[in-house]
Amino acid sequence: MNLKIPKPIRFECQPDCAACCQLGGGFVYVSETEIKRIAAYLKMDEAEFIENFIRQADEKTALVDGENEACIMLENNTCLIYPERPEQCRTFPFWPENLKTKQRWELTCQICPGIGKGRVFTEGEIRAVLNGKPVNSKIGEAL
């Protein structure tokens, strides 16, 4: 994928920000492995977790929406499953659809107050995120 975004890119999640968790109209896709990990983290039976928090969307498995289409796992601007959050959440804002055009990246910048702050991400690091590595936006910590 040819990155169509201005470089260098600075990014750091901002304290008490949950902007990416409140994007309505989308889906938070989860794999079977993620469902198992999240259910265990919440100390729930996997079947109970699926019954209460999972739906089918676009032939994939996703979390149900919470209030106002925010993520169901968001409570008081805090992710209830942060240590076990899905890959989709771990890789924001470096999603392929956000990186495919300069215009789309500019829209993402309007949504996410952490873009333009924090450490610089190299193109190699961004490509690693695109391949499933979690974003680690803290300066001095490994990706």
Side-chain angles (χ1 to χ4, degrees), residues 2 18 20 28 38 43-44 80 93 132 134 138-140:
N2 186 14
C20 56
V28 178
I38 294 167
K43 297 177 175 47
M44 293 180 80
L80 298 175
K138 298 293 182 190
I139 295 172

Side-chain angles (χ1 to χ4, degrees), residues 1 55 58 117:
M1 170 187 217
R55 64 179 165 161
D58 299 334
K117 298 181 174 120

Side-chain angles (χ1 to χ4, degrees), residues 31-43:
S31 68
E32 286 184 37
T33 302
E34 290 169 333
I35 289 170
K36 290 178 193 302
R37 286 195 331 247
I38 294 167
Y41 181 78
L42 293 174
K43 297 177 175 47

